[in-house]
Amino acid sequence: MGLEKKSAMLEDLIEKCGGCAVVDGGFATQLEIHGAAINDPLWSAVSLIKDPQLIKRVHMEYLEAGADIVVTSSYQATIPGFLSRGLSVEESESLLQKSVKLSLEARDKFWDKVSKISGHSYNRALVAASIGSYGAYLADGSEYSGNYGENVSLEKLKDFHRRRLQVLVEAGPDLLAFETIPNKLEAQACVELLEEEKVQIPAWICFTSVDGEKVPSGESFEECLEPLNKSNNIYAVGINCAPPQFIENLIREFSKLTKKAIVVYPNSGEVWDGKAKKWLPSQCFGDDEFEMFATKWRDLGAKLIGGCCRTTPSTIKAISRDLKRR
């Protein structure tokens, strides 16, 4: 299936959802709720090694909550990261493939169950393969600073992402999700890589923001969106893992800067200290606030809405309930 048909699948899903589809929520958060120990450089991807069935369980929980798109557990899964744990290249690539396989299996199992129920309100979900930023692999918080150092070039970023992208594409997801991109250089690398590899799967690229006005590197969204707007491979652009208080203004800003679909999945509002490896207390949105604001975000132009860190299936259930009743 080519790029146009895959893009049409996503467009059809958004239309069936009334103009805005629901993305799932915090994956690592839910793993921890179930007792997984993920304080590890691989973060949620460590469960691909230790407890793959728990990954499938979390996918099922988000599907039951009303997610129209489930995102794989590969955000911090990289071949260099797995190699540093003593795994072989073959084992590393197998784990990347497994992240997609588990999502597809959960989606198919859930749909096989609910499609037999008369009057159900679910859609057959799509699976988005998560591709975390270079900073996420470094596990030093640099996805929230955008500072990769002078030695990180466009070519180095493409080389870093290339084989992971190839393996994930071969595993057969419906979509690709580049997440927490902190600077224009990496966004450019992702766009060029999709073109060089002739990828036939639609992608979204999400930036993050620590001030609600620009990306962590200090570059403007206008600068960062420029290469994305020219790419046929990029279906949607947006924001993930930024405080929900920023989202309304960011949707307004993106609406002026792009004709691409807009995707937003903020965190709860808590702030992650990448060096101390802990969440800092701050102003948070609960499920009620997410439910209240989801419709506003949709009405402002967002086509894909979900949650990121510290959100749960109950958050997604609230968002889904709100969007589907109006």
Side-chain angles (χ1 to χ4, degrees):
M1 188 182 292
L3 182 61
E4 287 187 10
K5 288 188 177 179
K6 287 266 189 180
S7 297
M9 282 175 54
L10 179 53
E11 288 172 3
D12 289 346
L13 176 63
I14 291 171
E15 187 175 340
K16 285 178 186 174
C17 296
C20 185
V22 178
V23 183
D24 64 11
F27 205 86
T29 303
Q30 194 65 7
L31 289 173
E32 288 184 311
I33 286 171
H34 288 304
I38 58 172
N39 187 7
D40 184 284
L42 292 176
W43 201 37
S44 58
V46 75
S47 292
L48 287 167
I49 301 170
K50 293 183 175 180
D51 196 351
Q53 289 310 306
L54 179 57
I55 289 175
K56 190 184 286 191
R57 176 180 174 183
V58 171
H59 284 315
M60 291 291 285
E61 288 170 342
Y62 276 115
L63 289 163
E64 288 166 1
D68 301 304
I69 297 172
V70 290
V71 182
T72 65
S73 55
S74 51
Y75 173 78
Q76 217 145 304
T78 66
I79 294 170
F82 287 134
L83 291 176
S84 71
R85 298 293 287 267
L87 278 70
S88 67
V89 171
E90 292 76 14
E91 289 169 328
S92 302
E93 292 182 355
S94 177
L95 287 170
L96 281 169
Q97 292 172 334
K98 182 183 284 188
S99 71
V100 177
K101 183 182 177 185
L102 290 168
S103 300
L104 293 170
E105 287 175 352
R107 186 270 310 275
D108 292 344
K109 180 180 178 181
F110 180 76
W111 185 245
D112 185 59
K113 179 179 74 172
V114 300
S115 61
K116 295 171 181 156
I117 301 171
S118 176
H120 73 84
S121 60
Y122 293 101
N123 298 297
R124 183 178 183 274
L126 298 181
V127 169
S130 172
I131 302 170
S133 63
Y134 179 67
Y137 154 68
L138 295 176
D140 63 358
S142 57
E143 69 266 49
Y144 300 109
S145 72
N147 182 13
Y148 288 167
E150 294 179 1
N151 295 326
V152 177
S153 64
L154 182 70
E155 291 305 316
K156 180 169 183 175
L157 288 170
K158 286 197 283 188
D159 288 344
F160 167 75
H161 283 295
R162 190 179 304 274
R163 184 55 188 153
R164 174 168 58 160
L165 175 67
Q166 291 170 342
V167 172
L168 290 171
V169 167
E170 288 166 5
D174 303 303
L175 311 165
L176 299 170
F178 294 90
E179 302 184 297
T180 61
I181 303 299
N183 53 43
K184 181 181 178 179
L185 186 69
E186 190 161 21
Q188 178 78 45
C190 296
V191 168
E192 291 189 13
L193 195 53
L194 289 168
E195 293 169 357
E196 289 172 13
E197 295 296 322
K198 297 180 173 58
V199 174
Q200 297 296 298
I201 299 174
W204 74 59
I205 292 184
C206 278
F207 299 94
T208 190
S209 179
V210 295
D211 64 3
E213 297 180 0
K214 54 191 178 297
V215 299
S217 65
E219 296 162 300
S220 70
F221 286 111
E222 184 174 11
E223 291 177 84
C224 293
L225 287 171
E226 188 244 343
L228 280 59
N229 285 335
K230 298 175 183 176
S231 173
N232 292 329
N233 292 90
I234 305 301
Y235 181 90
V237 296
I239 293 287
N240 79 290
C241 216
Q245 296 90 335
F246 295 168
I247 298 302
E248 181 177 335
N249 286 336
L250 287 172
I251 295 172
R252 294 181 194 276
E253 178 76 3
F254 274 56
S255 296
K256 297 173 188 174
L257 299 174
T258 187
K259 290 183 170 61
K260 303 287 187 185
I262 295 173
V263 50
V264 293
Y265 45 114
N267 57 36
S268 67
E270 293 166 84
V271 177
W272 175 250
D273 185 330
K275 292 183 178 178
K277 300 286 191 293
K278 65 179 182 179
W279 290 97
L280 304 177
S282 52
Q283 185 181 358
C284 300
F285 269 31
D287 294 348
D288 291 344
E289 286 90 349
F290 271 98
E291 183 173 0
M292 182 171 63
F293 277 91
T295 304
K296 190 166 192 178
W297 296 339
R298 180 198 63 191
D299 293 345
L300 286 170
K303 298 293 185 185
L304 301 158
I305 296 175
C308 202
C309 296
R310 312 294 274 184
T311 63
T312 67
S314 67
T315 313
I316 298 310
K317 186 173 184 179
I319 292 172
S320 177
R321 182 172 58 233
D322 188 47
L323 292 177
K324 290 176 181 177
R325 74 179 172 214
R326 304 188 190 193

